[in-house]
Amino acid sequence: MFHQRFSRQALNLAFDRIIPGWMRLLVRRSESGMVALAAVVGALAGVAVYGVAATAQLAHELFFGLQSEERLSGTLGLPVILAVSMPLIGGLLLGLFNLALARTRSPRPVDPIEANALHGGRLSLTGSIIVVIQTWISNAFGASVGLEAAYSQIGSGIASRLGLGFHLRRADLRLLVGCGSAGAIAGAFSAPLTGAFYAFEIIIGTYAVSHLAPVAAAAIAGTIVTHLLGIDSYAFVIDVGYKPQASSFVALVGLGLFSAAVAILVMLGVAMTEKGFRRLPLPIWLMPGLGGLMVGGLALITPQVLSSGHGALVKMLAGGELPMLMLGGLILLKGLASSISLGSGFRGGLFFASLFLGALIGQFYLGGIHLFSLDTGLTPHAAALTGMAALAASVMGGPLTMSFLVLEMTGDFQLTAAVLLAVIVASITVRETFGYSFATWRFHLRGEAIRSAHDIGWARDLTVGRVMRKPAPTVDKDASLVVFRNAHPLGTTHYIVAVDTLTNRYAGLIRVADAYQVSPEIQDGANPIGSLALYRDEVLTAGMTLKEATERMEGCEAEALAVVDEAGHVIGLLSEAHALRRYAEAADRARRDLAGGV
């Protein structure tokens, strides 16, 4: 921990020396400066994406004996020994890597969504590199996961590190983290609109006019850089052949519902598989190896279950309609392989895998319609692309992201309108019935109440310890009424904390007005002032949020409560009126940031 803190301080000092003060001021005060920084972030994210993608492909060629033009999931067949052994070796290697991390007691890496929701855009670049290594090992050795987790993580990590170096305020840092993800995803797909809306919908959690220029600059920069470096584009030159008609809209609604149901089953399947693996009497570092062995067994049936499925998707869209039996088998095998991979501990995402799985579902759905000799106007390619977008939107929670991906892949506006209908139906269905995307479902399983990247961290950061009155005015619980009145005249304050001077522990809260309207026993000095104490068993702690504090005050009908430490010593006083005022001020600032205000 000392080494990490020292490294962080050294890095901050280096940034302070490298970045001139006028440049920091330009970025913080000027929109054009923020746009320029976002473009730099997008370009760096594009370089990182190219490095991860290129080395992963080289690993596929080396480990599985592929040609340079081949993709792992698109190959026709693999030697049995490679198909089984490579995922097993990758799982064991990943397990040993995780074991080494656990022994160094490194903190758990923060996801970009979690960073923007809870930590104001702060995430560790070292933690991001760890995620990239874990995801790279998983994908390079054939686990059924995509590289988008690595892309988004490294782009966001670079952005956060630069943003902290420029001392950006909370809202701007969250925006810059979104720009890093925009540049990474745009570069991965050669699709700037997709990258931009990925940032808006998934990483930032909202749209704002003031956010458009920086996010767009990052997405365009990422796309240009990866294009110059030679990354493969996801654009397809195919004749989709879709001609809209009345019956096709009904079919699209059905496809959206079907995709939503499959997406929910996949997300639940990952959770159930993970729970099943954890019940096995094995060390946790061996579980990825077991999962790799199982994925390798599935690869003996078809190599299309391996990796993200990009090669299989390209080959599928380049061909015609597949038989329903083959489609059903591929859906089952790919879903099972992805669930096993993620459930056993491989690192990665479902975004890329859900594209291939969704395309299979689209054609399977169309084949089911054809069994009843119904004319919907949908072609195999149109159904595949629509199913691809609907399932991925259900899993990732980005309906416009996936709609723009289809538009940038095909350039077909008629198809994009059809895709938008199915995507909206699928997204609403998942949100209303399940309530989570894949990323937020994983947070839910960890106990985090995150439904999106919308900033709720400010409410958690607004703790009692930050806003309480300190030091709190105190009085000895055994003091007389005369002593109390001399020390605290009427009207100077509302509450005084009573303490036991022998132990310095909290003994209750005295309302000053009560000391001037007392019974004869206290008036005559027969009883100490402590007999007027209220809320002797109701206190606050410094770590409570203001929401928790106000709920406790409402529960005991108190206008104020004392704040104590673990030993029961008084450290402050908080009134309900002050807590609500500070909460309202923070909420108003968050609202202005959400709307893009300054």
Side-chain angles (χ1 to χ4, degrees), residues 38-62:
V40 171
V41 165
L44 292 175
V47 173
V49 165
Y50 175 77
V52 174
T55 54
Q57 174 59 23
L58 286 175
H60 290 164
E61 295 171 11
L62 177 64

Side-chain angles (χ1 to χ4, degrees), residues 129-147:
I129 294 173
I130 289 173
V131 172
V132 170
I133 294 172
Q134 291 171 327
T135 307
W136 187 92
I137 293 174
S138 302
N139 183 274
F141 284 88
S144 187
V145 294
L147 287 168

Side-chain angles (χ1 to χ4, degrees), residues 434-450:
F434 190 65
Y436 300 91
S437 65
F438 178 67
T440 55
W441 172 241
R442 304 281 282 181
F443 293 141
H444 169 72
L445 294 178
R446 285 210 317 256
E448 290 284 0
I450 304 174

Side-chain angles (χ1 to χ4, degrees), residues 522-564:
I522 299 179
Q523 185 74 39
D524 296 339
N527 292 318
I529 193 67
S531 60
L532 294 177
L534 306 171
Y535 317 121
R536 293 187 176 113
D537 299 322
E538 296 290 343
V539 293
L540 305 175
T541 60
M544 283 183 171
T545 65
L546 287 192
K547 181 180 179 182
E548 293 170 338
T550 53
E551 287 175 351
R552 177 162 295 186
M553 292 180 192
E554 290 176 1
C556 62
E557 299 182 352
E559 295 179 355
L561 286 175
V563 185
V564 301

